Amino acid sequence: SPPATKVQLYCHLTGRDYIARLGDTRRSPNHMIPYVRWPDGTWQAESWDILERLEAESDEPLDENLDREALRSGRALAEAVELICYDACLYDRFVRPEGWALQRPILRAYVAQLAPWIAWPMIPLVVWAVRRKQRDRAHVTMADISSGQARVRELVQEVARRLEQAPFL
């Protein structure tokens, strides 16, 4: 999950201790990954919200010396990339037949590892339900393939343009 990787990378960059585990979306407050269980026992989802709390609790926040407008603009672009490019990836993995041919065995193995108590004959049903959920999500952005792909290209070009101007986004 790109959002989970973002949170894990933040923890790595700041030296914050964490334990990464396979995510079970049934435990997540928003039924998505990533989510965390804080030391006080509360659960939180949404990677940007998690990062916001980590920054607020940090003695040396990563964002503390950044220009506020550049930070706001970069975050808006990053959120658009996360949403639209992620949906395009979901489309490629779960809708396109060639993508599904590659994704299906990965998903089956993940379901078997995450929930070993599921009876083997039930795994295809769980895989079908996950695929359906991911296809529905992908169709939000990729309902019109040509305009969805055009938006992805625009975002990637904007990221490249900004990275030419500065060493980070």
Side-chain angles (χ1 to χ4, degrees), residues 13-79:
L13 287 171
T14 59
R16 185 167 184 123
D17 291 333
Y18 67 93
I19 299 170
R21 293 198 174 116
L22 279 177
D24 182 345
T25 57
R26 294 170 300 174
R27 289 185 168 185
S28 173
N30 66 352
H31 303 289
M32 295 174 68
I33 295 171
Y35 59 94
V36 297
R37 182 170 174 229
W38 297 106
D40 66 7
T42 61
W43 294 85
Q44 184 175 18
E46 294 297 334
S47 59
W48 288 109
D49 295 341
I50 294 167
L51 293 180
E52 190 173 292
R53 178 168 171 177
L54 290 170
E55 275 285 280
E57 293 178 354
S58 176
D59 293 334
E60 297 180 38
L62 289 180
D63 295 343
E64 120 182 294
N65 296 318
L66 298 178
D67 173 78
R68 292 294 132 201
E69 177 53 30
L71 186 59
R72 185 207 59 76
S73 175
R75 181 173 175 172
L77 179 58
E79 287 175 347

Side-chain angles (χ1 to χ4, degrees), residues 103-114:
Q103 183 66 34
R104 185 173 179 262
I106 294 168
L107 183 57
R108 286 179 66 91
Y110 179 73
V111 168
Q113 182 179 3
L114 184 64

Side-chain angles (χ1 to χ4, degrees), residues 79-134:
E79 287 175 347
V81 167
E82 270 186 28
L83 174 66
I84 293 171
C85 294
Y86 186 69
D87 286 357
C89 290
L90 289 178
Y91 183 87
D92 283 347
R93 289 181 189 169
F94 292 93
V95 178
R96 293 180 61 219
E98 56 272 26
W100 179 239
L102 297 171
Q103 183 66 34
R104 185 173 179 262
I106 294 168
L107 183 57
R108 286 179 66 91
Y110 179 73
V111 168
Q113 182 179 3
L114 184 64
W117 47 266
I118 292 178
W120 185 253
M122 295 298 292
I123 289 177
L125 181 60
V126 174
V127 167
W128 174 85
V130 170
R131 182 182 188 202
R132 181 175 178 175
K133 182 177 181 179
Q134 300 297 3

